Amino acid sequence: MCGFAYDREVPQNDLERVQDFRISFARRQAGEVREVPGGFLVLHGGYARSHEHNQLHIVGPADPEGLPALADEVMAFLPHRRITVHDEALGLLCVPALERAGYSHMTEVLMVHTGPVPEATAADVVERELGPDPHGPLRRAVTAQQRRWMPDADERTVHDLVERRTARRAGAEEVLFLAAHDDSGEVASWADLYLEPAAGIAQIEEVATAEPYLRRGHADAVLTAALRRAAAAECGLRFLVADQDDWPLHWYGRRGFTAIGRAHAFSRF
């Protein structure tokens, strides 16, 4: 597996390091990368319904007014449009043109953990594979929750959104799937952990709890385990991405995460 490659020769601060990690992760987990003006297009035929794996990344410089046409040109064969603009200022400039073109806009908040590494919890949090279809404990829990989130989605969409974790294995030097369990052994909460020890950086992604297990401390246990594993791997910069308009932003804030920057995501179906 190739090492982590920064897009900048020397990242100057934590925000640049986070941005570069996200860009590198997107490239490395892609099935195909196509360079385009101002950025690159990632594609993965194995997960065609995953917008994460079939989207346009803009890193700049780029013309905000020309971005809708660029997306239509390079993504013409896809049924959706998904664009992530990694620079905060450029992303804000792109909002008017993309909203006029029918895109919805989401602000992604980049948050770093600035608190102390928490003490271990009593909960049992272990590394898990998805497991065999359909009986793997993690696969079973993730699939059931995906159907709760998207009750109208067809089976192919649910399949791609669950299975895409396999592609993420290539995104970083080490990728772990962590899971907390109830007393019967069922998976109650889970998260991805992407480790790049050589660069001293780690990302925690998709912290989620199955609805039957909400408000029982399972997500706290998974988050704590992820932070402790990242610290043990000597990843001093630990970050995650939160939706500016969703409640987990404040939940993470109470657990030692601080916003250091923003990116902008645009979608059209």
Side-chain angles (χ1 to χ4, degrees):
M1 182 181 295
C2 62
F4 174 50
Y6 289 119
D7 283 351
R8 280 177 270 260
E9 287 188 9
V10 182
Q12 297 299 309
N13 54 45
D14 286 349
L15 176 57
E16 291 186 354
R17 292 175 66 198
V18 166
Q19 290 170 329
D20 287 352
F21 178 87
R22 296 187 72 205
I23 291 166
S24 178
F25 194 96
R27 286 181 173 274
R28 290 168 65 175
Q29 70 166 335
E32 179 184 356
V33 178
R34 299 180 184 178
E35 305 300 327
V36 305
F40 57 96
L41 176 69
V42 295
L43 300 168
H44 204 306
Y47 312 100
R49 304 291 179 86
S50 172
H51 295 182
E52 172 192 355
H53 292 92
N54 297 273
Q55 68 165 310
L56 182 60
H57 290 269
I58 297 297
V59 298
D63 171 22
E65 292 297 326
L67 192 51
L70 174 65
D72 283 344
E73 177 185 353
V74 302
M75 304 177 76
F77 53 92
L78 294 174
H80 70 271
R81 300 287 183 270
R82 169 79 177 191
I83 305 169
T84 297
V85 182
H86 290 272
D87 179 82
E88 181 173 0
L90 177 59
L92 285 172
L93 292 175
C94 292
V95 172
L98 286 169
E99 287 189 340
R100 286 196 303 271
Y103 285 79
S104 61
H105 169 226
M106 182 183 76
T107 301
E108 299 178 332
V109 182
L110 311 179
M111 307 183 78
V112 299
H113 190 250
T114 55
V117 177
E119 295 294 326
T121 68
D124 180 28
V125 178
V126 298
E127 298 169 21
R128 277 277 191 188
E129 299 293 335
L130 277 175
D133 187 9
H135 302 299
L138 180 57
R139 180 191 300 277
R140 186 167 62 244
V142 173
T143 300
Q145 187 58 40
Q146 193 67 56
R147 289 185 175 130
R148 294 187 189 101
W149 285 330
M150 302 176 66
D152 297 328
D154 60 28
E155 287 303 305
R156 176 59 191 275
T157 298
V158 172
H159 171 275
D160 285 4
L161 295 181
V162 173
E163 294 291 338
R164 64 185 178 180
R165 286 162 179 79
T166 302
R168 292 176 184 161
R169 288 287 190 194
E173 183 176 330
E174 188 173 1
V175 174
L176 307 178
F177 304 139
L178 305 179
H181 303 74
D182 69 1
D183 293 338
S184 70
E186 289 297 311
V187 172
S189 187
W190 56 90
D192 292 4
L193 177 60
Y194 313 142
L195 300 169
E196 202 68 44
I201 188 169
Q203 179 181 3
I204 300 166
E205 182 62 29
E206 288 201 13
V207 179
T209 300
E211 285 183 14
Y213 299 99
L214 292 173
R215 299 179 181 86
R216 301 186 192 178
H218 295 295
D220 266 310
V222 170
L223 182 63
T224 294
L227 289 168
R228 291 182 61 81
R229 280 170 168 79
E234 299 186 354
C235 295
L237 178 56
R238 300 176 287 274
F239 80 96
L240 53 78
V241 181
D243 182 344
Q244 180 169 276
D245 298 321
D246 206 356
W247 67 265
L249 177 75
H250 308 289
W251 188 84
Y252 291 125
R254 295 192 296 271
R255 286 155 179 79
F257 285 86
T258 302
I260 60 167
R262 287 164 174 77
H264 296 271
F266 303 89
S267 298
R268 193 182 76 197
F269 305 99

